[in-house]
Amino acid sequence: MSDDVALDAAGTDALDVVRAEPLCAETPARLLSSSITPAASVYVRSNFALPLLSATHTIDIGGAVQSAFAISLPELAALPQRQVTVTLECAGNGRLGMDPVPTGEPWRFGAVSTTNWSGVSLCTLLERAGLGSDVVEVLGVGADAGPRDDAEGDVRFARSLPIADAMHPDTIVATHMAGAPLSVDHGAPARLIVPGWYGMASVKWLVGLEALTTPFGGYFQRMRYVYDVDGTIAPVRRARVKSMITSPTEGRQCARAVTVQGWAWSGAGAIARVELAVNDAAIWMDAALGTPESAYAWTPFEAELLLPEGATATIWSRATDTAGNAQPERIAWNRLGYGNNGVRGVAVGVG
Ligand SMILES: Nc1nc2c(c(=O)[nH]1)N[C@H]1C(S)=C(S)[C@@H](COP(=O)(O)O)O[C@H]1N2
Ligand SMILES: [Mo]
């Protein structure tokens, strides 16, 4: 594929569809090199049929609060606006790279995008409601629900956040993406955006916010978005440190002297280091880091490599964040296939 495909791709080329109904679709590999993902190509992950909410939609804020209230879209628009540029990644991104491939949506490596979201800080709404001193979590409730094989009746999409994350000013109730009102696929008319967390925390089609005094135990908190390693369960939360080579792309024919570029990100902090290696990965060398679009957006890296002689070569990248987390060679296999941040190689032709 040529390198100069228009970056404003629209229509059928804009996304690689993994499942049509409900839509689950990746950012195409050729568009992953863009620091801000073109809006039409921001990956989409929906668990159920799309709920269509009206312009008179309101969000209920209640639970363990002093004064519960409902807020309309015009009222949200009248509050101070906050915008965040965020790299959002689905926890299932890279599932196809696991061996054996776990059940779940067969994501390759494009269930990650970077874009700008704007709306109202969640803490603004929670402060207005007045949280009880015993509140430990805030639940975001979506309008979507449906049957699941391993649950009785319809299950609704709902996810809780620890209070500290809910009160962070950059956790927002977003009404806009890339400067335009949210599309239905991305959660219109309002959704949560939780920077640093895997995508499941960013509840779309928000209908309610509930202050909880005990941890939430709903289906999408306890039955999904958990690392199940031989029956030992841990919640999926912040995005694991990861890197992705965007140039050269897989299968590309390269000269021996090649410029390697890509992105690294982590939900635990900034990127401290990206290293590259070739073939058997016996020697790792540091790539130069650029400046990310925001503290929550992926960090660019670049290095010049001299590939060894031979018909093909595999180029590897490995990121380390400022909290000291580094990508493992391979993750502990988990039943639902989340958090695959194992070091990945890009195979190219040489000469
Ligand atoms: N209500 C609701 N919110 C949701 C989901 C969903 O199915 N229903 N999917 C979650 C998951 S798993 C991800 S990765 C992100 C994807 O957001 P996007 O489709 O805007 O990229 O939304 C999250 N919020
Ligand atoms: Mo996801």
Side-chain angles (χ1 to χ4, degrees):
M1 178 167 299
S2 103
D3 261 355
D4 45 19
V5 175
L7 285 186
D8 59 349
T12 52
D13 283 352
L15 287 164
D16 284 348
V17 174
V18 170
R19 182 166 56 142
E21 290 281 343
L23 183 64
C24 290
E26 303 192 6
T27 304
R30 68 179 189 280
L31 297 176
L32 288 170
S33 57
S34 184
S35 63
I36 300 292
T37 311
S41 298
V42 171
Y43 85 90
V44 175
R45 197 286 182 254
S46 299
N47 279 275
F48 302 114
L50 300 188
L52 296 175
L53 304 177
S54 79
T56 58
H57 178 67
T58 57
I59 300 168
D60 291 320
I61 295 120
V65 297
Q66 270 114 48
S67 44
F69 65 99
I71 192 160
S72 68
L73 299 171
E75 285 168 326
L76 269 181
L79 290 172
Q81 300 291 298
R82 184 121 180 157
Q83 53 163 306
V84 286
T85 297
V86 177
T87 295
L88 199 66
E89 182 184 19
C90 182
N93 192 31
R95 184 176 282 131
L96 269 192
M98 292 173 65
D99 181 22
V101 177
T103 54
E105 297 309 316
W107 297 111
R108 286 162 302 194
F109 305 100
V112 58
S113 301
T114 300
T115 191
N116 184 267
W117 304 91
S118 60
V120 173
S121 293
L122 175 58
C123 62
T124 305
L125 305 180
L126 299 177
E127 277 159 11
R128 177 161 151 199
L131 293 184
S133 57
D134 49 352
V135 170
V136 293
E137 290 186 349
V138 174
L139 182 68
V141 183
D144 52 331
R148 299 272 96 166
D149 286 347
D150 51 353
E152 274 181 40
D154 278 359
V155 187
R156 180 179 286 268
F157 195 92
R159 290 271 321 171
S160 71
L161 272 179
I163 191 70
D165 296 275
M167 291 303 287
H168 193 289
D170 289 331
T171 296
I172 65 173
V173 174
T175 52
H176 288 69
M177 186 190 95
L182 294 182
S183 65
V184 177
D185 281 326
H186 290 299
R191 69 175 303 172
L192 290 178
I193 287 292
V194 187
W197 284 59
Y198 277 122
M200 74 285 149
S202 294
V203 177
K204 304 196 279 191
W205 310 293
L206 196 62
V207 295
L209 293 162
E210 212 177 305
L212 303 179
T213 55
T214 54
F216 179 61
Y219 180 90
F220 288 100
Q221 201 86 26
R222 295 279 170 84
M223 302 285 285
R224 287 292 179 277
Y225 308 115
V226 290
Y227 296 112
D228 177 348
V229 180
D230 296 330
T232 301
I233 306 287
V236 174
R237 305 176 84 172
R238 291 181 170 273
R240 289 173 167 175
V241 63
K242 192 166 184 173
S243 62
M244 170 173 67
I245 293 171
T246 56
S247 181
T249 47
E250 180 80 23
R252 180 74 191 283
Q253 195 65 25
C254 300
R256 282 190 62 206
V258 64
T259 304
V260 179
Q261 294 173 311
W263 305 110
W265 63 97
S266 167
I271 295 300
R273 185 176 199 192
V274 175
E275 298 156 285
L276 300 177
V278 180
N279 291 347
D280 63 359
I283 302 165
W284 290 86
M285 64 168 270
D286 279 299
L289 300 183
T291 308
E293 298 274 348
S294 92
Y296 305 118
W298 49 25
T299 295
F301 66 82
E302 182 172 321
E304 310 291 332
L305 290 187
L306 185 63
L307 300 176
E309 285 184 54
T312 62
T314 301
I315 308 170
W316 306 88
S317 66
R318 176 171 74 189
T320 304
D321 65 24
T322 50
N325 306 298
Q327 286 183 257
E329 206 169 294
R330 190 183 259 269
I331 62 162
W333 191 89
N334 63 93
R335 186 176 61 88
L336 297 167
Y338 296 125
N340 183 8
N341 68 333
V343 166
R344 179 160 68 97
V346 169
V348 296
V350 185

